[in-house]
Amino acid sequence: MNVAVIGLGLIGGSLLRALAARGHQVTGYDLSEATRQAAAEAAVQAAVAEGSWHIAADIPAAIADAEIVVLAVPLPALPAVTAALAGFSGLITDVTSVKGPVRDLLKGRRYVGGHPMAGKESSSFHASDPGLFDGCAWVLCLEPGETDLDDWLRLAALYTSIGARVVPATAEEHDEAVARISHVPHLLASALSSLLDGNPLAGALAAGSFRDGTRVAATRAELIAAMCGGNAAAVRRVLAEVLDHLAAYDAELASPDPVAALTSSLQRPGELRRAWPVVDGVTVRVDREADALLSLGRAGGWLTDIGPDIIGQRPESGRNGS
Amino acid sequence: MNVAVIGLGLIGGSLLRALAARGHQVTGYDLSEATRQAAAEAAVQAAVAEGSWHIAADIPAAIADAEIVVLAVPLPALPAVTAALAGFSGLITDVTSVKGPVRDLLKGRRYVGGHPMAGKESSSFHASDPGLFDGCAWVLCLEPGETDLDDWLRLAALYTSIGARVVPATAEEHDEAVARISHVPHLLASALSSLLDGNPLAGALAAGSFRDGTRVAATRAELIAAMCGGNAAAVRRVLAEVLDHLAAYDAELASPDPVAALTSSLQRPGELRRAWPVVDGVTVRVDREADALLSLGRAGGWLTDIGPDIIGQRPESGRNGS
């Protein structure tokens, strides 16, 4: 396929490399001239090893022959870049970490939202890696009655070809899930880090559980705020669940036998964590229609191949909370 | 010195090896015959490389010639082991993760509470390592007007000799600090893991922030419950602080400009996390008296040498919240 990638940070740059390595025609563009130059120089070196790509000087040149345009820019840059695609009639997708607002922004366009669960959008082209998406979950949004299934399958074929696990979900399901597994974890890491404030003794004693529980609190505040603020409604719903769990632990600590009470309520979270991640599943064939694809995603499954048959993996029953 | 180590799990076994390697006379005992046998066999192999130790068949034989007895058994086993030391007039210390209850248990004995911030008490002798305490923070409890300073310094010399950073703190300060950096982080990890319940899609999308934020939730529920339940008052106070932070984030998410509000409130936790851990400090000489030692601990400092001078490290000012 002929693909244009707009934005050549870690995700866009890695996608450029991965698609070129699989023999696709790829053209890249980045607002930064320095990044364009780095990507053009890398293309020369890549010509032998992993296939190569072109770097365009502006967006019209980048998309001129494209069937698919991937917007790999941060959320705040999307409105301007989308406006520059006014005359483009091909398929548009993106890689941002919130899907509801982008769906609204691209209403009426030929658009399928996407989100690879890999790396950080803030990192640069220099960190790009053609193997970044190997085994990585890549959500593709599928809205029954709205998304064109052929377009959706075209992107699913593109991303499974570079090794991604394509996960079908609605934008709403996606935003709720990432609140659970990324946005709220960032807020909890920040709250934990705050516990060192004015307590250097605690800092001197902190070891593994603190280190891991707070790692992502070192992320730039602007990035955490943009992720959580861009998904505020879902984050608040999930945060309320966390507060309920913590309030229950607190009540158990105040009970006559806190050890027995906590032992009981901590069993389930321990089981869930030990069952995660699901590395392999049971191979399944999936019907070529939205509800079957979405059902697989809701069951924790993913697609691995979009050929004449659509092939995926479904977690073994009884694992991972299902 | 002549030291008896009662309980030869990861901590006790590593201490046995580390002390023997530094030329101390060491005798070990474990309730499990299989562990005693493993430790006796390891002693034969260690005889050349790292000095060696004796394994006793019962507690009276283990402590017969000891100046110091280290109780390296889990908290629930302490009352029985302490009872077996009724006739012992030397110095007693322990390695359990809560210090207030042990202080109460050993009231009237010649006792100094200790807690190395290393590994897990649950692991076995087979995982023991003479280098486990190298650079590890080892709290020694110092109660003004109660703890014998010479006894305290004797233990501090013993542990700095095996590479530990000895941190002076009262039992109350210790228990409050470990609630912050270990017990409450375990509860937050469990609450986060619970968010996968009934949501396999979220599990399929979860990556780095979820993995790290929940790692310790995989710990056996009994162990987390024993740690938190044994320190319930401090854990509840710290949990209330976490709930306040999370409530503030929630209010910011509901505000007219959630991104700006969150960006502002997430700055400080980010700074705290990026400034942690303090690897090196400024070398200081500390007066041979309780208040000076405790002041160093409260400032996030630690002792490295107990010779004619007491030498420690104090974090650089402006770092780590101080």
Side-chain angles (χ1 to χ4, degrees):
Chain A
M1 280 190 254
N2 195 319
V3 183
V5 180
I6 310 297
L8 302 175
L10 173 66
I11 299 290
S14 297
L15 185 59
L16 195 76
R17 291 177 185 274
L19 291 173
R22 297 292 304 174
H24 296 285
Q25 290 260 67
V26 202
T27 305
Y29 170 76
D30 194 280
L31 190 62
S32 149
E33 193 181 330
T35 299
R36 291 201 302 275
Q37 199 166 331
E41 283 164 16
V44 177
Q45 299 183 307
V48 180
E50 41 175 296
S52 193
W53 53 86
H54 299 282
I55 298 299
D58 53 32
I59 292 183
I63 66 175
D65 299 316
E67 299 158 83
I68 296 173
V69 171
V70 183
L71 306 179
V73 298
L75 189 61
L78 271 183
V81 175
T82 304
L85 301 180
F88 179 70
S89 61
L91 174 55
I92 302 171
T93 188
D94 71 320
V95 301
T96 49
S97 61
V98 190
K99 300 270 60 78
V102 187
R103 181 185 174 203
D104 293 341
L105 179 69
L106 281 145
K107 198 140 257 172
R109 303 296 303 260
R110 203 177 140 200
Y111 166 72
V112 174
H115 181 206
M117 308 305 296
K120 295 196 191 328
E121 293 102 301
S122 60
S123 301
S124 76
F125 180 80
H126 295 286
S128 65
D129 170 6
L132 185 67
F133 308 113
D134 203 32
C136 140
W138 195 311
V139 176
L140 281 179
C141 289
L142 186 47
E143 314 297 336
E146 177 181 316
T147 310
D148 183 286
L149 191 62
D150 288 333
D151 278 346
W152 193 93
L153 290 168
R154 200 165 285 132
L155 280 177
L158 190 69
Y159 293 146
T160 53
S161 82
I162 56 171
R165 299 173 163 198
V166 168
V167 177
T170 67
E172 192 181 336
E173 287 169 346
H174 167 277
D175 289 353
E176 212 268 349
V178 295
R180 283 179 193 277
I181 54 85
S182 173
H183 303 169
V184 166
H186 276 80
L187 295 180
L188 263 62
S190 295
L192 267 187
S193 292
S194 295
L195 296 178
L196 291 193
D197 215 354
N199 201 318
L201 170 65
L205 303 191
S209 61
F210 180 83
R211 180 191 61 230
D212 291 352
T214 57
R215 185 181 57 85
V216 294
T219 310
R220 279 176 45 226
E222 291 77 4
L223 294 177
I224 306 177
M227 289 191 317
C228 295
N231 194 20
V235 171
R236 293 190 67 207
R237 281 194 302 273
V238 175
L239 205 48
E241 284 186 42
V242 169
L243 292 170
D244 284 348
H245 287 296
L246 295 178
Y249 300 155
D250 184 60
E252 286 156 6
L253 285 163
S255 73
D257 189 349
V259 177
L262 274 177
T263 298
S264 163
S265 73
L266 296 176
Q267 295 293 346
R268 180 70 181 144
E271 287 164 14
L272 288 163
R273 183 52 173 79
R274 288 186 291 270
W276 180 90
V278 174
V279 177
D280 288 310
V282 179
T283 300
V284 289
R285 245 178 61 178
V286 188
D287 287 345
R288 193 173 289 266
E289 53 98 14
D291 284 345
L293 292 162
L294 287 169
S295 290
L296 181 74
R298 286 174 196 133
W302 60 90
L303 303 178
T304 56
D305 193 40
I306 316 293
D309 287 333
I310 301 178
I311 306 296
Q313 299 272 312
R314 183 187 292 276
E316 286 175 67
S317 93
R319 301 251 312 165
N320 200 19
S322 64
Chain B
M1 278 189 253
N2 195 319
V3 183
V5 180
I6 310 297
L8 302 176
L10 173 66
I11 299 290
S14 297
L15 186 58
L16 196 75
R17 290 176 184 275
L19 291 173
R22 296 292 304 174
H24 295 284
Q25 290 258 68
V26 202
T27 306
Y29 170 77
D30 194 280
L31 190 61
S32 149
E33 192 180 334
T35 299
R36 291 200 302 275
Q37 199 165 332
E41 283 164 15
V44 176
Q45 300 183 306
V48 179
E50 42 175 295
S52 192
W53 51 87
H54 298 281
I55 297 300
D58 53 33
I59 292 183
I63 66 174
D65 299 315
E67 299 159 83
I68 296 173
V69 171
V70 182
L71 306 180
V73 298
L75 189 60
L78 271 183
V81 175
T82 304
L85 301 180
F88 179 71
S89 60
L91 175 55
I92 301 172
T93 188
D94 71 320
V95 301
T96 49
S97 61
V98 191
K99 300 270 61 81
V102 187
R103 181 186 174 201
D104 294 342
L105 179 70
L106 282 146
K107 196 140 258 172
R109 303 297 302 260
R110 202 178 140 199
Y111 166 73
V112 174
H115 181 206
M117 308 305 296
K120 297 196 191 330
E121 294 101 299
S122 59
S123 300
S124 77
F125 180 80
H126 295 286
S128 65
D129 170 6
L132 186 67
F133 307 112
D134 202 31
C136 140
W138 195 312
V139 177
L140 281 179
C141 289
L142 185 48
E143 314 297 337
E146 177 182 317
T147 310
D148 183 287
L149 191 61
D150 288 333
D151 278 346
W152 193 93
L153 290 169
R154 200 165 283 133
L155 280 177
L158 189 70
Y159 293 146
T160 53
S161 82
I162 57 172
R165 298 174 163 197
V166 168
V167 178
T170 66
E172 191 181 336
E173 287 169 345
H174 167 276
D175 288 353
E176 212 268 350
V178 294
R180 283 179 193 277
I181 54 85
S182 172
H183 303 170
V184 166
H186 276 79
L187 294 180
L188 263 62
S190 295
L192 267 186
S193 293
S194 295
L195 296 178
L196 291 193
D197 215 354
N199 201 319
L201 170 65
L205 302 191
S209 61
F210 179 84
R211 179 192 63 229
D212 291 352
T214 57
R215 185 181 57 84
V216 295
T219 310
R220 279 175 44 225
E222 292 77 3
L223 293 177
I224 307 177
M227 288 191 317
C228 295
N231 194 20
V235 171
R236 294 191 65 207
R237 280 194 301 274
V238 175
L239 205 48
E241 284 187 41
V242 170
L243 292 170
D244 285 347
H245 287 296
L246 296 178
Y249 300 155
D250 184 61
E252 286 157 5
L253 285 164
S255 73
D257 189 348
V259 177
L262 274 177
T263 298
S264 163
S265 73
L266 296 176
Q267 296 292 348
R268 180 69 181 145
E271 287 165 15
L272 288 163
R273 183 53 173 78
R274 288 186 291 271
W276 181 91
V278 174
V279 177
D280 289 309
V282 179
T283 300
V284 290
R285 245 178 61 179
V286 188
D287 288 345
R288 192 173 289 266
E289 53 98 15
D291 284 345
L293 292 162
L294 287 169
S295 290
L296 182 74
R298 286 175 196 133
W302 61 90
L303 303 178
T304 55
D305 193 40
I306 316 292
D309 287 334
I310 301 178
I311 305 296
Q313 298 273 311
R314 183 188 293 277
E316 285 175 67
S317 93
R319 299 254 310 168
N320 201 19
S322 63

